Amino acid sequence: MSKRVLVTGGAGFVGSHIIRYILSNYSEYRVINFDALTPSASLNRLSAEENNPMYTFYHGDISNEKDVQYVFEQYRPNFVIHLASQSYIDKNIHQPNIFIQTNVIGTQLVLQNVRESNVEKMVQFSTSKVYGSYKEDADIDENSRLLPYSPYAASKAAADLFIAASYRSHKLNVSIIRPANIYGPYQFTEKLIPAVIYSVITNKKVPVFGNGGSYRDWLYINDFCKAVDLVLHKGKAGEIYNISSQEGIKNIDIVKIIIKKMDSDDSKIEHLKERMGDESYPAVKSIKVREKLGWTPKFDLEKGLDEIIHWYKNNIDWVEEIHSGEYQKNK
Ligand SMILES: NC(=O)c1ccc[n+]([C@@H]2O[C@H](COP(=O)([O-])OP(=O)(O)OC[C@H]3O[C@@H](n4cnc5c(N)ncnc54)[C@H](O)[C@@H]3O)[C@@H](O)[C@H]2O)c1
């Protein structure tokens, strides 16, 4: 049966993959991409879907009441996957208000419209950063305390609490997912993995903040999309699902692995000043999605990095177009 899926933030890195995944796995689903086209968006990520009759783009702002109301009335979604978010780390510390506007007020508006319409299921995108920075051997799961370090993480934690309250008071069918760091095709080169690959391809210095001692837990986008699919269709109402590889690695170590895989050498590394708000996020446990929903990642770091290096080498034109500002023309 035909279903309508509203994806907020679908012109972003993760959202564009989710849209492509749904369109290629559920031919009966119509997808509405609701995006404000902020600087982290690029409709070029979805250029192959542009003429797909099951795909619609709506240019709007989730923190604008009229825009949100219009989309819900016009498209009457069965499912809502809420990814739209302000996540620019550099704005993080100095412009916290924009995080409150999009991530808290925007989420509350989406939630209100979900409540007032016949949405069957909503998936809220949070982040494992809501647990705060922690040591490598810390035991973090979905029941751990919320201890955000940055305005970004604080705003995501606040949104999660609005979602949880709505589940309790209105019995909404909503699940929260808290992903670790995701990487894959079409990610902008300000993020670590594409930054390293791009620097090596273009024979530039490879920038590393501080001594590169911060930890991250990396997940390949294909594995991530599968997890979202499972949570959307089988996730329990009111449940929180961490989505992670459960394997932390230091930034400097992943940088060196990529450099070696690309037949370059460590002399390319250039240590930059420590970045404010660049905390350590080693690995959270993602037991519920594995044990209750049967998810296991298929891409370990080795395989994922091989895929992504291959993709950037073959799509360097796309990266250059982003750098030249060409993608802005789509806005
Ligand atoms: N990328 C990761 O590693 C990662 C990790 C954990 C959680 N997440 C979460 O996943 C989601 C997507 O992340 P991403 O990396 O794709 O981010 P992104 O910045 O690439 O995409 C976000 C999208 O949201 C849109 N947007 C921003 N403000 C909006 C507004 N007011 N109205 C409508 N659209 C708006 C942007 O234009 C953009 O297209 C976010 O909720 C983020 O918190 C991402």
Side-chain angles (χ1 to χ4, degrees):
M1 205 179 74
S2 171
K3 300 261 184 194
R4 290 169 301 279
V5 187
L6 176 65
V7 178
T8 69
F13 160 54
V14 179
S16 60
H17 282 280
I18 298 284
I19 288 177
R20 209 173 4 262
Y21 177 95
I22 295 172
L23 291 172
S24 38
N25 286 280
Y26 295 95
S27 55
E28 71 281 23
Y29 284 11
R30 178 169 179 208
V31 179
I32 301 99
N33 175 7
F34 176 12
D35 199 295
L37 297 182
T38 68
S40 66
S42 167
L43 284 176
N44 283 7
R45 290 176 165 126
L46 288 164
S47 49
E49 319 301 334
E50 241 168 45
N51 298 320
N52 185 332
M54 299 303 270
Y55 170 71
T56 305
F57 173 69
Y58 178 80
H59 188 183
D61 181 346
I62 56 153
S63 63
N64 178 310
E65 211 169 333
K66 284 203 182 111
D67 284 354
V68 183
Q69 213 171 1
Y70 174 82
V71 164
F72 275 82
E73 281 173 9
Q74 178 73 16
Y75 298 106
R76 294 171 289 106
N78 303 86
F79 298 129
V80 173
I81 305 180
H82 179 41
L83 297 110
S85 175
Q86 187 57 250
S87 48
Y88 252 72
I89 188 145
D90 293 333
K91 289 184 185 168
N92 211 349
I93 306 298
H94 305 293
Q95 286 176 264
N97 288 355
I98 59 170
F99 292 88
I100 297 168
Q101 184 67 25
T102 298
N103 302 356
V104 184
I105 297 176
T107 298
Q108 171 55 25
L109 278 175
V110 170
L111 196 54
Q112 190 180 315
N113 281 273
V114 165
R115 239 179 10 230
E116 290 165 1
S117 53
N118 288 322
V119 171
E120 293 164 34
K121 172 87 187 182
M122 172 177 176
V123 177
Q124 163 71 5
F125 268 60
S126 180
T127 166
S128 59
K129 290 189 170 71
V130 294
Y131 302 117
S133 180
Y134 36 87
K135 296 230 167 16
E136 199 196 344
D137 56 357
D139 195 9
I140 306 282
D141 64 18
E142 287 91 349
N143 298 316
S144 297
R145 275 201 300 165
L146 299 178
L147 282 172
Y149 257 60
S150 62
Y152 163 66
S155 65
K156 298 297 277 190
D160 286 3
L161 295 180
F162 276 92
I163 298 278
S166 234
Y167 160 70
R168 285 193 204 100
S169 57
H170 292 85
K171 299 283 167 275
L172 277 195
N173 186 359
V174 51
S175 304
I176 296 173
I177 57 171
R178 293 187 175 149
N181 280 79
I182 307 160
Y183 68 103
Y186 298 108
Q187 192 167 28
F188 286 180
T189 56
E190 85 234 354
K191 302 292 179 180
L192 183 70
I193 292 178
V196 178
I197 298 171
Y198 181 67
S199 302
V200 177
I201 293 176
T202 53
N203 206 18
K204 295 195 182 88
K205 286 279 185 194
V206 175
V208 171
F209 291 105
N211 64 8
S214 292
Y215 276 86
R216 296 285 181 275
D217 170 338
W218 295 100
L219 197 60
Y220 195 61
I221 188 76
N222 296 25
D223 282 330
F224 181 68
C225 288
K226 183 69 199 164
V228 175
D229 182 358
L230 287 168
V231 173
L232 180 68
H233 292 103
K234 296 184 178 157
K236 204 173 140 199
E239 194 68 277
I240 297 168
Y241 297 92
N242 289 342
I243 319 280
S244 67
S245 73
Q246 304 193 142
E247 299 203 16
I249 180 167
K250 280 186 188 168
N251 286 349
I252 189 69
D253 292 336
I254 196 168
V255 167
K256 287 182 176 171
I257 294 173
I258 296 171
I259 288 178
K260 193 164 171 217
K261 277 183 178 291
M262 296 183 76
D263 297 322
S264 189
D265 67 85
D266 294 355
S267 65
K268 287 267 188 320
I269 296 173
E270 179 181 40
H271 289 276
L272 307 178
K273 218 173 89 193
E274 198 78 60
R275 193 162 51 157
M276 207 174 164
D278 204 11
E279 314 298 337
S280 215
Y281 302 100
V284 296
K285 287 186 178 163
S286 47
I287 292 166
K288 282 187 200 164
V289 69
R290 290 166 192 259
E291 290 184 357
K292 305 276 185 217
L293 305 184
W295 176 80
T296 37
K298 303 269 183 291
F299 289 77
D300 60 14
L301 198 55
E302 280 292 314
K303 189 173 164 195
L305 289 178
D306 286 341
E307 288 278 325
I308 198 61
I309 291 168
H310 181 73
W311 189 87
Y312 276 95
K313 278 184 178 168
N314 285 299
N315 290 276
I316 197 70
D317 290 351
W318 180 82
V319 181
E320 299 289 4
E321 202 175 310
I322 295 296
H323 280 250
S324 72
E326 276 295 299
Y327 77 103
Q328 298 282 353
K329 288 183 184 166
N330 278 332
K331 297 182 179 183

